[in-house]
Amino acid sequence: MLPTTCPLLWVLRDVLGLTGTKFGCGIAQCGACTVHIDGKPVRSCLLPVGAVRGRSVTTIEGIGASPAGAKVQKAWLDLEVIQCGYCQSGQIMAAAALLANTAQPR
């Protein structure tokens, strides 16, 4: 059994095998580890897994099921945004959260 203080990132990657969420800086600054908790973008590298009990967690693997996430993923492919791809999941998660809450951001 994992301690509830284990960062969510490591549970996602090492226990559940959801490797789309990446480790970047380890101090919640770069965004590579971004997931959605109840629809809000959160850095998973410092968030204890115990803090998400009973809450909805969405990773890059599931973001395409939301309308905003599907649109962002399609735009990423249509515009050929992808370069090395390492930080792309965090960027997609941030963009999907923005568009889900602000239909026409300025």
Side-chain angles (χ1 to χ4, degrees), residues 18-41:
L18 299 172
T19 58
T21 304
K22 307 295 186 200
F23 174 80
C25 66
I27 58 171
Q29 295 297 306
C30 74
C33 68
T34 302
V35 299
H36 292 181
I37 307 294
D38 295 332
K40 307 274 189 244

Side-chain angles (χ1 to χ4, degrees), residues 2-95:
L2 290 170
T4 58
T5 56
C6 182
L8 175 61
L9 173 65
W10 301 118
V11 174
L12 293 172
R13 291 183 59 79
D14 297 344
V15 177
L16 300 177
L18 299 172
T19 58
T21 304
K22 307 295 186 200
F23 174 80
C25 66
I27 58 171
Q29 295 297 306
C30 74
C33 68
T34 302
V35 299
H36 292 181
I37 307 294
D38 295 332
K40 307 274 189 244
V42 176
R43 307 294 202 253
S44 65
C45 67
L46 294 181
L47 182 68
V49 71
V52 301
R53 180 174 284 135
R55 299 174 77 187
S56 173
V57 178
T58 304
T59 66
I60 189 68
E61 288 87 353
I63 197 63
S66 74
K71 287 178 186 177
V72 171
Q73 286 181 330
K74 182 178 181 334
W76 235 255
L77 293 171
D78 289 350
L79 298 172
E80 299 178 5
V81 173
I82 298 172
Q83 293 177 22
C84 82
Y86 193 81
C87 63
Q88 297 296 304
S89 61
Q91 292 176 7
I92 290 170
M93 296 302 287

